[in-house]
Amino acid sequence: LLSDRGHLGRPIPMATFLANVIFHGQEMWFWNATNVFLHLCTGVLVFLLACRLIGHTQNDKTVACGWAALLVAGIWLLHPLQVSTVLYTVQRMAQIPALFIFAGLFAYVAGRQRQIAQATGGWLLIGLAFLVLFPLALFSKENGVLFPVFALLIEVFVLRFRGGVKIRRSLTVLYVLVLLLPAITGIAYLAINHETLVMPGYESREFTLSERVMTQFRVLLFYLYLLILPVQKNMGFYHDDFPVSHGFLDPPGTLFAALIVAGMIIGAILAGKKYALPAFGVLFFFVAHSLEASVFSLELFFEHRNYLPAFGIILGFVVLLGAMFRDRRMIVAAGSGILVVLPALTAMRADTWGSFDKFYNHAYRSHPESKRVNIIFDNHFADAVQYDKALQLMQNFDDVGFTLNRLFVMCRRDWQIPAQEVIEAQGGLQGVVGNHALNSLILLANAGLDDQCAFNRQSFIGLVDAVLERPVSSRNKSVILMYKAHFLHREQQLEAALAALREAYRFESATPVTLLLGTEWLLDSGDIDRARSWYSEALEVIATSKHDFSEYTQGIEARLGDSGP
């Protein structure tokens, strides 16, 4: 509940994790079972929403909307691409907002259909959608903000603002208030503050903002490919080896992908009157990807991002299938075939997720150039005391993460690192300092601080300085500076250590940890006046923090009390 994930903290998914802790502890079977239960609940809502949409637009009654909606929900539930969302526990953060979005859209459609039929209760259901389910989606994950756009798409392509002049005016006011004005405000705010809201995230990425936007055209087409041909060899949890587009002609497929995406969007808009649900489905897919495929410095590719967007493509596919085969028996036969193949493919993927060896061997076969997969295998070999094999694997990569991990493996093998190795590593650092590089640095630093590995501290401080010269995010920079401060303190360079803490605090001023640590070091040195000054500053930060630092403050206050006025 105190998570700082996302801009709103995502308290609803975090509350479900808290419930798992309270009722099931570390029994992970129940954590996964919770995800499967949420998936099934969302599947019911997918069925109900699809049935409403298909029933509203279907003029040919030879195809019952229930059968078609059942096929939509069945494909969505059983598609192999959903495995990495449902079985990766933390992606409950993708599941729960989808559940509330589908629930909100169902309530909205039901309310509007009541208005069109001139029945009572329409505005009550619409109010439930916008005043209850929309905020629940938003506080589950940031892409919940797209709910009004989805509702508007349904209105434009399916419901078409029917219900009389008064209803149309009221709906116009509604969308001005919940969509147009917030969108204008949000876009303007983002444009004005993009240097602080968008650009800092690219400090630790191996791509620029423009490269990310261009690459997303190819990523979106690959998502569509995986939805249409869900072959396991093309899937995988790790996609950090996806090639970056450095220009529209580098690779040339970037321009081709951009033209296809633009053509699909324009085609859907133009065909909306005749092919309402297929057009809606295409636009739903692209709108659902619009935040995570835009300017924000997220990683390029994750399968779980298709959990919500897949609905649009599947809905459009089933409706087109119904248009091709007018005979209901043909639809049932085609649907049955699909619902036999998909569970088989999904069972294969779930089996792959069932053990460490299967999971990572498949990950390596599918993505042999993935840095993350290779680092995991490095550490796996090191855990198995196959140090030479781990070091040999790392020779294929030369970025900062592998350089630091190589030193850590040497540390585990020899219990020491020659000073020359550390010095040589300083001059060979390449690439950005991502989370895996940071993790390797932390493991290496902790081994030195805990006397589990002997190496020259001054050389290591030089290595840390070299790491800080690489592209690194502000948060990671703060962590690295904290470790530099610890090593300087061990070398009895108090003023240099305090300066490193000050710099770390500058990059992460929302936490008082650096100030509290500096207070303790000043107390150890007998500098009571400066310790009080640092502690007073720490208390100001604690006053605005939602975390509990009483364990630290009680000890410091006891020491300050013992030191006299």
Side-chain angles (χ1 to χ4, degrees), residues 260-273:
I260 291 178
V261 170
M264 290 181 69
I265 293 172
I266 295 170
I269 294 171
L270 295 177
K273 190 171 183 179

Side-chain angles (χ1 to χ4, degrees), residues 399-417:
D399 74 348
V400 59
F402 284 91
T403 300
L404 296 172
N405 209 55
R406 181 175 61 83
L407 293 176
F408 179 61
V409 171
M410 292 175 60
C411 189
R412 295 182 68 178
R413 183 187 66 181
D414 304 329
W415 299 90
Q416 63 178 350
I417 305 174

Side-chain angles (χ1 to χ4, degrees), residues 38 277 282 364 388 401 420 449 453 502 536:
L38 289 168
L277 286 183
V282 168
Y364 187 80
D388 292 338
Q420 188 59 34
L449 292 172
C453 183
R502 271 292 172 193
S536 296

Side-chain angles (χ1 to χ4, degrees), residues 7-34:
H7 296 289
L8 299 175
R10 304 181 186 179
I12 296 172
M14 298 309 296
T16 67
F17 291 130
L18 179 60
N20 277 138
V21 171
I22 292 171
F23 294 109
H24 308 121
Q26 297 299 314
E27 190 61 49
M28 293 307 296
W29 187 93
F30 292 99
W31 292 63
N32 282 327
T34 303

Side-chain angles (χ1 to χ4, degrees), residues 23 70 81 138 182 201 245 260 265 275 284 352 365 374 397 531 565:
F23 294 109
L70 188 63
L81 199 58
L138 192 56
S245 292
I260 291 178
I265 293 172
Y275 301 101
F284 183 95
T352 300
R365 288 195 305 272
N374 279 277
F397 301 90

Side-chain angles (χ1 to χ4, degrees), residues 236-238 351-364:
F237 183 70
Y238 299 98
D351 180 67
T352 300
W353 277 68
S355 74
F356 179 94
D357 289 339
K358 288 181 180 179
F359 182 88
Y360 285 106
N361 283 328
H362 171 262
Y364 187 80

